[in-house]
Amino acid sequence: MAVGALVVLVLGSLALVALDVAASPLNKRTVVAGLTVLVLMPAVMLGQYAPPPYRLPYRWRWGLLLVQTVLTYLPLLLFHYRWLGLLGFLAGAVLLTLPPNASVPIALAVGASGPVLAATGLIVTNRSPVNVLLGTAVTASTVFAVAHLALLSARLHSSREHAAHLAEQRERARMRQDLHDLVGSSLAAIVVQGETALREKGPGREGTGHEGAGGEGTRAALVDMLGLARRLQDDVRAISGPGPGDFSLADELARAQRVLTASGTAVRTALPPRVETGPATAECLRAILREAVGNVLQHSRASRCEIELRTDGADVRLTVRNDGVAVTADLRTDPAPGRGKGLTGMRSRTLALGGTFHAAPEGTSFTVTAVLPAR
């Protein structure tokens, strides 16, 4: 809905510009200016305002902002056309692209440039400066609101997807633990009791008069039962333990990058060619990465996130850094270690494996760092 409204807004406003071009005296200058604006401007605007997953990288949007600035002001200053409605789209793009501390003053300057151009006579228009200023403010606010709504919708969708992934992982861990504790212990008891019965009916007790064909049959049945119990015990251990793909850090990193990109957050990853870790270390790193990504999605408005994994053979270091410093309510409240919630639970798991854990703001960024023994 937000994307459709944005398309209608852009194309409708450019249609008004097209009507102005059609109403102007037809000459070479009018045709060149009109085609330049009407052909290039829709692509530039839609590329600038597009929500995730179609959102362009941050540096590309900077380039589009410069192109949009040229396409907005050049026809106004060179040809003195009254296409002042394009100033509102430029102000909206400034609000969406630049950081908040710089975007508001520059957007106000863009809005004020319209009345200045009209008042100084550089632009021929029958609109008053106040009319131009209000029109620019309304257009900029509408563009920002609709594009921001689409961005928030994408972030909400990514946050829900990540929450579902966390719930799935936790439920699998709970089921594995229950299976290991309940069924595994019962099978272990069966094996112990069967081995005890075999020892009591072992070769040393033969010839006592109590062994016969029936006794040999009972012994064979006990051997078969023990073999079946041992196989079942091995199957339970295989099921309750992590599968071969559960310790893949590469899969978890790829999933984190996909979720963050879909939410409109630019992601940069730095990974070694190969990382060899033990099962406990790999599982802990995957859990920390999941929690860190979840905090970026739920508790920040980050536009960039860096994920770095380094190893020196003995230790593995995972660093997750984002530019949304207002992060992690669970760290601010700082619940007691061992509660298993949020990054505080990850700190406990890291310390239990003999590693170190750090999560705190650093200037305008928030950094989560975990150092664990590779094995």
Side-chain angles (χ1 to χ4, degrees):
M1 186 180 298
V3 174
L6 187 62
V7 171
V8 170
L9 179 63
V10 171
L11 297 183
S13 299
L14 292 177
L16 295 177
V17 175
L19 293 177
D20 281 345
V21 173
S24 302
L26 189 61
N27 52 48
K28 183 178 180 180
R29 187 180 68 174
T30 304
V31 172
V32 171
L35 289 178
T36 301
V37 173
L38 296 178
V39 172
L40 295 180
M41 190 64 86
V44 171
M45 286 184 178
L46 293 177
Q48 182 74 7
Y49 309 142
Y54 312 105
R55 193 175 180 84
L56 295 175
Y58 189 69
R59 60 181 182 275
W60 287 35
R61 285 187 282 125
W62 262 98
L64 287 179
L65 182 62
L66 295 177
V67 173
Q68 186 176 353
T69 303
V70 172
L71 291 177
T72 300
Y73 281 107
L74 193 60
L76 293 176
L77 298 177
L78 292 182
F79 305 131
H80 308 290
Y81 288 134
R82 55 181 185 272
W83 300 345
L84 296 174
L86 297 179
L87 293 175
F89 289 97
L90 179 59
V94 168
L95 292 173
L96 290 170
T97 304
L98 301 182
N101 55 349
S103 62
V104 175
I106 296 178
L108 292 176
V110 172
S113 65
V116 171
L117 293 174
T120 55
L122 293 176
I123 303 299
V124 179
T125 179
N126 55 2
R127 297 171 60 186
S128 66
V130 176
N131 187 296
V132 173
L133 180 62
L134 291 178
T136 302
V138 170
T139 303
S141 301
T142 304
V143 168
F144 177 77
V146 174
H148 198 61
L149 176 63
L151 179 60
L152 289 179
S153 176
R155 285 178 174 172
L156 176 62
H157 179 75
S158 298
S159 180
R160 292 177 60 184
E161 180 182 350
H162 186 74
H165 178 70
L166 285 177
E168 178 187 4
Q169 294 296 319
R170 289 166 180 164
E171 184 63 17
R172 285 183 176 181
R174 185 191 65 80
M175 292 176 63
R176 287 169 178 168
Q177 188 64 40
D178 291 346
L179 183 64
H180 180 273
D181 293 344
L182 300 177
V183 182
S185 60
S186 299
L187 288 174
I190 293 175
V191 170
V192 171
Q193 291 177 3
E195 290 175 343
T196 302
L198 277 178
R199 284 195 298 270
E200 293 176 353
K201 299 180 68 63
R205 295 184 60 84
E206 292 180 359
T208 59
H210 299 288
E211 290 287 346
E216 291 297 330
T218 303
R219 178 180 175 81
L222 283 173
V223 171
D224 292 340
M225 183 190 70
L226 278 177
L228 179 60
R230 288 194 180 100
R231 287 195 298 272
L232 286 176
Q233 195 174 24
D234 292 338
D235 291 340
V236 168
R237 286 173 179 170
I239 295 174
S240 61
D246 286 350
F247 289 152
S248 175
L249 277 173
D251 292 344
E252 191 68 40
L253 286 165
R255 196 202 67 82
Q257 186 171 17
R258 178 179 60 82
V259 171
L260 289 172
T261 301
S263 70
T265 303
V267 184
R268 186 184 71 85
T269 57
L271 309 174
R274 186 177 180 183
V275 180
E276 295 184 358
T277 62
T281 298
E283 176 61 22
C284 187
L285 290 174
R286 291 175 67 242
I288 291 173
L289 182 60
R290 286 196 299 267
E291 293 293 342
V293 171
N295 280 329
V296 172
L297 293 173
Q298 298 174 17
H299 303 295
S300 78
R301 290 295 179 264
S303 60
R304 292 184 298 276
C305 182
E306 300 177 4
I307 301 175
E308 184 180 37
L309 187 66
R310 294 187 179 277
T311 179
D312 59 3
D315 295 326
V316 179
R317 174 186 293 269
L318 174 66
T319 303
V320 181
R321 181 182 297 107
N322 67 86
D323 61 353
V325 73
V327 188
T328 58
D330 58 7
L331 283 179
R332 285 196 294 268
T333 55
D334 195 20
R339 289 178 59 181
K341 294 183 179 179
L343 294 178
T344 306
M346 296 303 100
R347 179 187 290 111
S348 301
R349 294 182 60 171
T350 304
L351 295 177
L353 293 178
T356 60
F357 184 88
H358 177 75
E362 297 178 355
T364 60
S365 302
F366 191 92
T367 303
V368 174
T369 303
V371 180
L372 290 163
R375 296 289 178 181

